[in-house]
Amino acid sequence: MKLQFSPQDEAFRSEIAGWLADNLVGEFAQLKFRGGPGDEHMFPEERKRWERKLAEGGWTCVGWPQEYGGRGLPIEQQVIFFEEYARAGAPGRMGHIGEGLTGPTLIAFGSEEQKKKYLPGVLAGTEFWCQGYSEPSAGSDLANVKTKARFDEASGKWIVNGQKVWTSLAHESEYCFVIARTDPDSKAHKGLGFFLIKMDQPGVTVRPIEQITGTSEFNEVFFDDAECDASDIVGLPGEGWKVAMGLLGYERGVSTLGQQMAFQNEFNEVVALAKENGAAQDPVIRQRLADAHIGLKIMRYNSMRMLSGNSGDGSLQKEALIYKLYWATWHRDLGELAMDILGAEADILLDAPYELNRLQSLFLFTRSDTIYGGTNQIQRNIIAERGLGMPKELRPPQN
Amino acid sequence: MEFAFTQEQEMIRDTAAAFLKDASTSAAIRAAMESDLGYSPELWQRICAEMYWQALHIPEEYGGMGLGYVELVAVLEQMGRYLLCSPYLATVGMATNALLIAASDSQKAAILPQLIEGKTATVAFNGGRSVWDASAVTATYRRESNEFTLNGDYRYVLDGHSADYLILAAREEGSRGDEGLSLFVCAGDSAGIQRSRLATMDQSRRQATIQLKDLRLPESSVMGELGTGAKPLAKILDLATIALAAEQAGGMQQILDITVDYTKSRSQFGRTIAGFQAIKHKAADMMLRNEVARSAVYYAACVADDALCAGPLASELAEAASIAKSYCSEGYFKNTGEALQMHGGVGFTWEYDVHLYFKRAKASEHFLGSSSYHRERVAVMLLDTAC
């Protein structure tokens, strides 16, 4: 066991930290610590310009292979990149779905034509993606997808009908990847397709969902005879499940590992508040703050374990099973702690009608952490079944 | 960065697991529990002669293997897993560290080789309060020319009734806090020492009280510079804390394995109870706590390595020890409590091993500081500095 980063890694850390210090200035200075979860709707245009700036510096898609325009960074340096990015308070990434999900999926499963068509826009920070998985009746039970895709021989296009929900930043995205049923008689995970759909077309309607925070970064997306070129299905019709599952592996992998520094920033703010308003003298608050600090430190050790001995392909080891349940619960608890440190002041808003301060937003938004991407209950099933070999949940008989 | 066991460390761990699975069986644990000594001297001699675990992190110049704390932790984890009854934590996790940190070359040369041969040792410092730092030391010393006279009581001394060597923390008469503290090393059966075994709820580990009545020790028994023992004592306790946390993480693994196996074998309402979500979710939480505990312990072990050889992470020792102990203490006890519940009625029986882990977990939780004790230590580091 050896905990130190290599001199090359440390040099890389200085390089990215230096670039951020030099560039997160001027019009971008106002974006510091903005655009994170619960704040994703803020400054969309400025953050898109920031994405282009990042791309000019070669700081988009740093984990992608070099042959597709990425830097092909080893996993340690990807983590360093994410850490320094968050440490500098650089804004929430508009491009993270394209970079973390679309790109790796196309690189693994896409045709050469698809790679040529879609990867450059993601790399350049000019084209943005959203994710069309969840439906009103298909959350974690993704096999219950009802959106349909029918191939129209006359036009040579796929015709898509159905509804998606909880689609982050759909209103700011050029494209959506969509899971839809290509075989209308199929059930469960059979007969699905993975489609790349242009948002700016007559058959696509985006409707914002107002959240617990009073803001809207999720949407409902309706497809009414939306069209998709024959060349824009990834993999074969009916094999969408395989593609989607490969992609979820990425979602649970590297793309979540830089968030701890953002958590550290939030935690620092909570600590500063407690010192300032005297709550840091309360023995119970002290215990909870120490517990949160301990929890965050161990979160880092957990990911260091996950990354060590990793093959670098984004697949994770057994201890990675616990990661989502662990961080989501930690983050939710931090939100509660922040409110309890604020005390009665926690209820007072910045302004009417419903302008939250950062900690209020943290408190409310972190309730979603234990829901999205598989609820804590789903995570516990996954841990028990894959980690401990306990029996799977009962499923309805499948055809 | 490589935060995983090397192949050699994996081999040490796997060898330890295989040996202890065979040697520290339920019957062996129960036999040791019922003995006055608290462990099997034959098994201890086998460990010392065949496995050489007592010598793992003793430098080669004193006849040790010259390995580090990560190797030690790999073995301790397996000891905790198989609930080994032995004087290992006292001798290696406490006394050997004390000698490595605070003893003079001649003291090391005199005693470390004896420990390698199988002699045992322990550290006595706590006067009986629920604090685990220098302020817990109430025993006193008085200097009279080239001799010292020690008086006072110690409680919670691991294997204190049987250890061949004692390392005693005492303070100069009238001193307080970190001031005037010294460490002394002496034979366990020296005149002026009364030791008696304490009856304990966790019978898998022995604790003793030690009373000093005008114990007279020569100058050569003083470890390090007189009156400056607080710092080394803190370091010794942090290292011991990490060793204990490693045991706790190992116990968590075993109680998880035992419990999941049991739920797979036990049927109710026509299904194995392992299929019920209420059971699966408890097991998932147990696995989470177990993996998290391990991360904390392994990190602390790396820090301990640095602390023993002035590496870059040495300054993190106290924090890393508190992180590991606070997490493992609570996690181990929660997991054994859940295990008892998931076993149902049989978990409550003397015949099943669950209660052995349940009791060990509670005893380890409080020894060297409870979760809240260590959280407050962290809180001081986190909060009591300038804004």
Side-chain angles (χ1 to χ4, degrees), chain A residues 1-6 9 76 267 271-272 274-276 279-281 283 285-295 297-310 317-319 321-327 329 376-381 383-394, chain B residues 1-6 9 70 256-257 260 263-264 271-277 279-285 287-296 298-303 305-306 312-313 316 319-320 322-324 326-327 330 342 371-376 378-380 382-387:
Chain A
M1 279 189 188
K2 190 174 184 316
L3 294 176
Q4 283 73 31
F5 286 98
S6 68
D9 289 344
E76 281 93 346
F267 179 66
V271 168
K275 286 182 174 184
E276 196 184 299
Q281 302 305 314
I285 293 290
R286 289 173 74 80
Q287 287 281 312
R288 289 172 67 189
L289 279 166
D291 203 35
H293 174 77
I294 289 165
K297 285 274 183 179
I298 300 182
M299 200 186 299
R300 180 172 164 77
Y301 312 157
N302 283 340
S303 30
M304 287 161 73
R305 270 182 75 206
M306 283 198 295
L307 294 171
S308 293
N310 191 286
Q317 301 179 68
K318 198 171 163 185
E319 58 264 25
L321 289 172
I322 65 160
Y323 192 71
K324 166 78 188 353
L325 177 61
Y326 182 84
W327 75 252
T329 307
N376 276 9
Q377 288 65 41
I378 290 285
Q379 297 300 330
R380 289 188 173 96
N381 281 351
I383 294 167
E385 290 167 15
R386 295 191 205 157
L388 299 170
M390 297 172 92
K392 286 193 186 317
E393 286 308 293
L394 292 175
Chain B
M1 186 191 71
E2 195 53 45
F3 192 29
F5 284 138
T6 62
Q9 288 161 348
V70 174
L256 175 63
D257 291 347
V260 169
T263 64
K264 286 176 180 170
R271 299 164 60 186
T272 64
I273 63 170
F276 294 123
Q277 213 170 49
I279 297 291
K280 286 165 68 177
H281 286 193
K282 277 186 191 295
D285 285 339
M287 180 175 145
L288 178 139
R289 287 192 285 264
N290 189 16
E291 292 300 332
V292 171
R294 236 191 222 116
S295 297
Y298 295 163
Y299 187 86
C302 294
V303 172
D305 259 343
D306 274 16
L313 298 174
E316 288 186 32
E319 187 189 31
S322 279
I323 286 174
S326 68
Y327 194 89
E330 224 162 58
M342 288 155 81
S371 291
S372 55
Y373 174 84
H374 282 283
R375 275 197 292 267
E376 176 54 25
V378 170
V380 170
L382 184 70
L383 302 171
D384 298 347
T385 50
C387 259

Side-chain angles (χ1 to χ4, degrees), chain A residues 27 70 154 162 168 173 198 221 242 294 318 321 323 347 390 396:
Chain A
E27 65 163 326
S168 294
S173 298
K198 197 170 188 304
V221 180
K242 192 177 83 181
I294 289 165
K318 198 171 163 185
L321 289 172
Y323 192 71
D347 190 47
M390 297 172 92

